[in-house]
Amino acid sequence: MSNDTAGTNGLIKDTTTQTFMTDVIQESMKQPVLVDFWAEWCGPCKQLGPMLEKAVVAAKGKVKLVKMDIDKYPQIAGQLGVQSIPAVFAFSKGQPVDGFMGAVPESQIKEFITRIAGPGGDPDTEAMLAEAEALLTEGEGEAAAQIFAQIYEQDPENLKAIAGLARVAIAAGELEQAKTTLSLTPKGKENDPAIASARAALEVAEQASELGDLAGLARQVEADPKNFQAKFDYALALAAANKREEAVDQLLDIARRDRKWNDDGARKQLVQFFEAWGPMDETTIYGRRRLSSILFS
């Protein structure tokens, strides 16, 4: 395939590790750019690719699509924590802002592009969602839940409202309630980024609930910094306590000292954290940057 795919007016092209900065990072300063990580041997990639290209062309210039063969150019996918393909990341203003994995239906691709490029949703609903998210971040779970619930009552298929209610329950330690809430996700929407993020957060919380108290784990790590299992457990407990950067640092230390420990367990857990927190979370950006420096140094 040529760098510029024929008949797409420059909307779709292939990229390499060397041209990624120009094709994606710099181009996304002008408009959103989707990056499709694929490989020749990947059957689902061959299903997704044509649908993705069709949707991008139909968007008439609102987004561009860049395709990267991970067999030829694995470095960028590794930096972003891609564990399976197809994987699609949306970049805007030089940063990854959203994404999905798997050969999703064409309707979901269209929804994804609309969400990334516009037009936006109902302004009142978007404002309410933003307010609820801010309240949840500030620890005002009950107030956030009331807004998310109001949105859900008006629109039972609003995935951000469902995910928000689930995250409120997780923050309150009500993990069974979070599971029940996530079960309200409409069929076929399970891989939506908001739902996937809430599900990852629930998995982290469930793992942490089986551990000891934070202070006890901290003492274990202090007594033996090479006790990687203690550091791993401590990282989970820190994440559950919303001490995100400290949690990331514990796992980064394991990856730096012994990448192969527990079948690359530290890196895999970091990827789950990043999914739970979302691509634009400050700690996700910090963690991805630090992890890349370890993996590719």
Side-chain angles (χ1 to χ4, degrees):
M1 188 183 296
S2 63
N3 187 257
D4 285 309
T5 303
T8 61
N9 297 320
L11 294 175
I12 303 170
K13 64 164 54 178
D14 293 326
T15 193
T16 68
T17 305
Q18 291 71 32
T19 60
F20 188 87
M21 180 64 69
T22 300
D23 293 340
V24 178
I25 304 302
Q26 293 180 9
E27 188 64 29
S28 74
M29 302 303 292
K30 307 172 189 175
Q31 66 187 121
V33 176
L34 309 185
V35 182
D36 176 21
F37 293 100
W38 70 286
E40 277 291 345
W41 50 263
C42 171
C45 296
K46 295 176 182 179
Q47 297 174 20
L48 178 69
M51 292 191 294
L52 193 57
E53 293 178 14
K54 178 182 175 183
V56 168
V57 171
K60 298 180 179 179
K62 290 183 179 179
V63 297
K64 289 190 174 182
L65 174 63
V66 170
K67 302 172 73 67
M68 176 167 266
D69 184 336
I70 67 166
D71 282 344
K72 295 179 181 178
Y73 313 106
Q75 186 173 357
I76 301 297
Q79 291 175 355
L80 290 170
V82 174
Q83 291 184 301
S84 63
I85 54 173
V88 176
F89 280 71
F91 281 75
S92 181
K93 306 301 181 185
Q95 297 289 341
V97 296
D98 210 337
F100 64 86
M101 293 187 182
V104 303
E106 188 171 357
S107 60
Q108 190 168 329
I109 295 173
K110 292 178 180 178
E111 290 174 6
F112 178 75
I113 290 176
T114 298
R115 185 166 67 246
I116 295 301
D122 177 72
D124 291 337
T125 299
E126 294 300 321
M128 291 172 68
L129 284 167
E131 181 182 358
E133 291 288 351
L135 288 167
L136 183 55
T137 300
E138 294 167 4
E140 299 291 337
E142 186 173 343
Q146 292 177 359
I147 298 174
F148 284 130
Q150 182 180 346
I151 296 169
Y152 177 75
E153 288 174 6
Q154 296 171 351
D155 179 9
E157 294 193 357
N158 190 300
L159 302 178
K160 290 184 178 180
I162 295 172
L165 286 168
R167 287 187 289 109
V168 168
I170 293 167
E174 299 172 355
L175 304 189
E176 289 303 318
Q177 179 59 47
K179 288 182 184 178
T180 300
T181 301
L182 287 173
S183 72
L184 300 173
T185 303
K187 188 175 181 180
K189 305 290 187 181
E190 295 85 358
N191 291 326
D192 177 88
I195 298 298
S197 176
R199 188 168 59 246
L202 175 59
E203 291 170 0
V204 170
E206 287 179 325
Q207 289 173 292
S209 68
E210 300 172 359
L211 303 173
D213 68 285
L214 200 60
L217 291 167
R219 286 193 294 270
Q220 290 183 45
V221 172
E222 186 176 354
D224 182 7
K226 293 183 179 180
N227 184 341
F228 293 155
Q229 186 60 56
K231 290 180 77 69
F232 186 88
D233 293 345
Y234 186 40
L236 288 173
L238 284 166
N242 207 33
K243 297 182 178 182
R244 296 182 176 183
E245 189 168 324
E246 294 177 53
V248 165
D249 285 341
Q250 293 296 323
L251 294 176
L252 287 170
D253 188 57
I254 296 174
R256 183 171 52 249
R257 291 169 182 254
D258 185 357
R259 170 72 186 276
K260 296 181 180 179
W261 177 80
N262 197 26
D263 191 25
D264 200 17
R267 184 192 64 81
K268 291 176 181 177
Q269 186 58 62
L270 280 167
V271 171
Q272 187 181 42
F273 282 168
F274 300 157
E275 184 178 10
W277 300 335
M280 291 306 293
D281 179 82
E282 290 183 2
T283 315
T284 296
I285 295 170
Y286 161 79
R288 287 193 190 281
R289 185 175 63 248
R290 291 283 307 281
L291 181 60
S292 296
S293 67
I294 290 172
L295 298 182
F296 302 108
S297 59

